[in-house]
Amino acid sequence: MNLSAEEQEQYSRHLRLDEVGKAGQLKLKQAKVLVIGAGGLSCPVLQYLTAAGVGTIGIVDDDSIEHSNLQRQILYTNKDIGKYKAEAAVERLQMLNPYIQYYAYKTRLTKDNALELFPDYDIIVDGTDNFPTRYLINDAAVLLGKPVVFGSIHKFEGQVSVFNFKNGPTYRCLYPTPPKINEVPNCSEIGVLGVLPGIIGSLQANEVLKIILGLGNILSGQLLTFDALSLKQTLFFVEKNISSNITTLEDDYQAFCGIPNDIKEISYQEYEEHPTSFNLLDVRTQTERDANFIDSIHIPLDELSERCHEIPDNRKLLVCCQSGIRSKLAIRILKEKRFDLALVNLQGGLKSRSL
C-alpha cells in the first residue's frame, strides 16, 4: 500500500508532522472505522475522519433527514431532506475525499447484525442517542475485542470516553444499569445547542486518530465532560469492573432498558386509513407540539398520571410522541392506572409521518 501523488498533496500537512509522516498516514489509510449513527455527533466525526484519510469508513443509520436536523447535522442541506442519512453522508464525504472506501448501511443496529458488522472494522464510534443501542454497541464490542469511542450530548453538556481499549473499562463499568426510561431524554425531546455535537464529535474524531496513530493519552478509563456555557472541562476516572463479564448479547435491549416491548403498534399510514377508529393522545412537550402540531388530545408525559381522567373513553386510544419511545412509557402508565381502553402505540412516532 502506498500514497498516490494526489493523496500526498491532500495529506501534506499530516506528512509534515514528525509524529505522523508517511508511516502514520499509511496507518490511517489501512484503518477501518465503523460509525454508528449519522446524526449530530457523527457528522463531525465522519468529516474529520474523511479529511484525515481513514481508508475505510462504514456508516450505520436507518433514519432519513428532517428539516429539524439541519440545526446541528452539518453534513446535510435542505436539498437532502427525505434522503437516507447514510447515503447522503457518503455522497457528501466523497466530494471531500474520493480516496476512501465508504459503506452505507441503511439499517438500524440490532443484536442480529452487530456481530456481523463489527468484525470488519478496527474501531467502533458510538454516535447514537439512546441507551438500548449504547449497551448493544458496548456488549458487541466487548465480545469481539473492539474499542468504542463514545460521545453523548445533553442540552449544553457533552461527554467523551473510550471504552474497551486494550481490555480497559467498558460502558457498563461507567453505567452498570440503564437509567429509568425518560430519566435522560434525548435531544429531540429536550433540545441541544447546535454547536455542541460539533465540539463533542470533533473530540471523538481526535480519539479515533490517536488510537490509529498510537499518539497521546487515550481517554480509556477516563470520562471527559464539557460544559458549553462555561467551557469547563472535567476528567473523571472510570475503574474496570472485574465482575462485569459479558458472554453474550441481551435478548432484548429495549426491554433491558425498561422500554415495554409487548405493546400493539400501528404505523402512521395505518392510522390515516382509519382515523375515526382512534382518539389520538400526544404526550410530547408543549414546545415539541408547537414545532410539529397534530390535532389530538395533548397531555405531556410528566402530567399523564394526574390527568389521565381527561382522556375520553369512546374509542381506542392511539398514543404518540416524537419517536415512539415515550409513548410506550405512557401506555405503561395508563395500564398501571387500569385504563380500560384498547391502547395502541404510534410506531416510530410523529416523525414517521414525514417519511
Side-chain angles (χ1 to χ4, degrees), residues 34 36 60 105-119 136 140 144 249:
L34 183 64
I36 313 299
V60 181
Y105 304 98
K106 297 179 295 182
T107 183
R108 183 180 297 272
L109 188 75
T110 68
K111 63 165 295 189
D112 297 319
N113 61 25
L115 297 180
E116 296 177 2
L117 289 170
F118 284 20
L136 169 59
L144 295 170
L249 298 181

Side-chain angles (χ1 to χ4, degrees), residues 182-221:
N182 207 47
E183 193 172 72
V184 185
N186 61 35
C187 67
S188 68
E189 301 165 11
I190 201 169
V192 66
L193 186 66
V195 72
L196 180 62
I199 296 169
I200 299 302
S202 296
L203 291 172
Q204 287 181 272
N206 186 53
E207 290 305 304
V208 173
L209 297 183
K210 284 160 56 183
I211 292 171
I212 296 170
L213 295 170
L215 296 176
N217 298 316
I218 307 302
L219 274 176
S220 175

Side-chain angles (χ1 to χ4, degrees), residues 116-135:
E116 296 177 2
L117 289 170
F118 284 20
D120 294 333
Y121 294 89
D122 308 313
I123 300 169
I124 312 300
V125 177
D126 182 351
T128 64
D129 64 356
N130 66 88
F131 289 98
T133 308
R134 288 172 183 166
Y135 280 97

